Amino acid sequence: MLELENITYRVKDDQGERTILNGVNLSMNERFVAFTGPNGGGKSTLAKVIAGIIRPTEGRILWDGEDITEMSVTERAKRGISYAFQQPVRFKGLTVRDLISLAAGKNAGVSDVCAYLSEVGLCARDYIDREVNASLSGGELKRIEIATILARGTKLSVFDEPEAGIDLWSFGNLINVFEKMYAKTQGNILIISHQERILNIADRIVVISGGSVEKSGTKEEILPGLLGGDTCRVLTEKL
């Protein structure tokens, strides 16, 4: 179970101090949890706080009862937390096979790499020896990053807008990947998304706006209000 207690994050810039997250309290243990809400509301910041990329100004993060607030990204990864960026990182000199081997924690064989790549709709023979650099498109990088999360098989997988850049790959396939990931790991999946089709598979939807939790509940409780209210504009802009 992931527990967030009074998570607050402030930054200082030329305009003074700004509060990005303001006293967020959440307990999450559902299979699929989706964060949604207007752009700039704090969704990605909160996800990075969970992954350990950003340290909160105030508050505590508990993972399976253990306080991980002061732990680094590496320490959290060892405890089973993965994070997929909205814009995947490029690694010059590292091949796709190298990256998947690192994620899997072993020297992945050709058949293993092929299996992971095929799950995300890529033909392995075209990618296995390619470098993870500028020669790959944003959509290809996004799929490869999702393949590395599959290879890791962690207890908590955090995805920041996983649908970004995969226009030529059906949402049905993306959703199937999440289903298979859960079946393999029995872990939790946290997705940041504006897409109705992704929100519709969530066991729980958390609406984040202005750095705070505006609403939280099942898709039956939350989604109709989103589609019929102000957030509808945000959702449809992304569809």
Side-chain angles (χ1 to χ4, degrees):
M1 176 180 287
L2 180 67
E3 298 173 84
L4 308 178
E5 298 179 353
N6 193 38
I7 296 298
T8 300
Y9 180 64
R10 302 185 185 94
V11 296
K12 291 183 179 180
D13 55 24
D14 295 339
Q15 298 178 344
E17 187 175 79
R18 292 186 296 123
T19 299
I20 308 300
L21 297 173
N22 187 19
V24 174
N25 290 285
L26 276 175
S27 294
M28 295 177 283
N29 199 34
E30 292 86 354
R31 179 180 59 160
F32 291 120
V33 176
F35 284 176
T36 194
N39 291 329
K43 302 181 300 296
S44 292
T45 300
L46 185 57
K48 290 175 181 177
V49 166
I50 291 168
I53 298 168
I54 293 174
R55 191 71 56 83
T57 307
E58 297 174 15
R60 290 201 312 161
I61 306 166
L62 302 177
W63 174 237
D64 288 343
E66 180 182 16
D67 190 336
I68 62 170
T69 312
E70 301 300 321
M71 290 185 183
S72 66
V73 175
T74 302
E75 290 172 314
R76 296 188 200 197
K78 290 178 179 177
R79 282 163 173 76
I81 299 176
S82 295
Y83 183 88
F85 289 88
Q86 185 175 352
Q87 297 294 329
V89 180
R90 299 176 187 268
F91 299 93
K92 187 176 180 179
L94 198 67
T95 67
V96 172
R97 180 175 179 175
D98 293 335
L99 192 62
I100 290 179
S101 292
L102 287 170
K106 63 180 182 180
N107 185 19
V110 173
S111 61
D112 293 327
V113 177
C114 288
Y116 292 125
L117 292 177
S118 65
E119 290 281 4
V120 296
L122 295 177
C123 180
R125 66 174 177 269
D126 295 334
Y127 291 92
I128 189 170
D129 293 319
R130 288 183 64 178
E131 286 191 15
V132 187
N133 57 19
S135 69
L136 295 170
S137 70
E140 289 170 327
L141 282 169
K142 175 66 79 171
R143 296 199 207 183
I144 289 167
E145 184 176 47
I146 293 173
T148 65
I149 301 295
L150 284 170
R152 285 208 65 210
T154 48
K155 293 171 64 180
L156 174 62
S157 301
V158 182
F159 293 91
D160 192 347
E161 296 196 24
E163 70 274 13
I166 56 169
D167 298 342
L168 299 179
W169 193 42
S170 75
F171 271 81
N173 285 335
L174 180 61
I175 291 168
N176 285 338
V177 166
F178 293 140
E179 294 284 0
K180 290 177 181 178
M181 183 183 296
Y182 177 75
K184 176 184 176 183
T185 67
Q186 295 296 299
N188 306 96
I189 299 171
L190 171 58
I191 307 171
I192 299 172
S193 182
H194 297 90
Q195 289 281 1
E196 180 186 350
R197 286 165 286 184
I198 289 183
L199 298 180
N200 199 48
I201 70 170
D203 299 309
R204 181 178 179 190
I205 297 174
V206 180
V207 181
I208 299 173
S209 179
S212 301
V213 175
E214 186 176 279
K215 299 176 184 177
S216 178
T218 66
K219 64 183 179 184
E220 291 81 10
E221 294 170 331
I222 303 297
L223 196 52
L226 293 180
L227 298 176
D230 294 338
T231 312
C232 180
R233 178 181 57 81
V234 178
L235 290 168
T236 53
E237 282 176 356
K238 295 289 183 174
L239 290 173

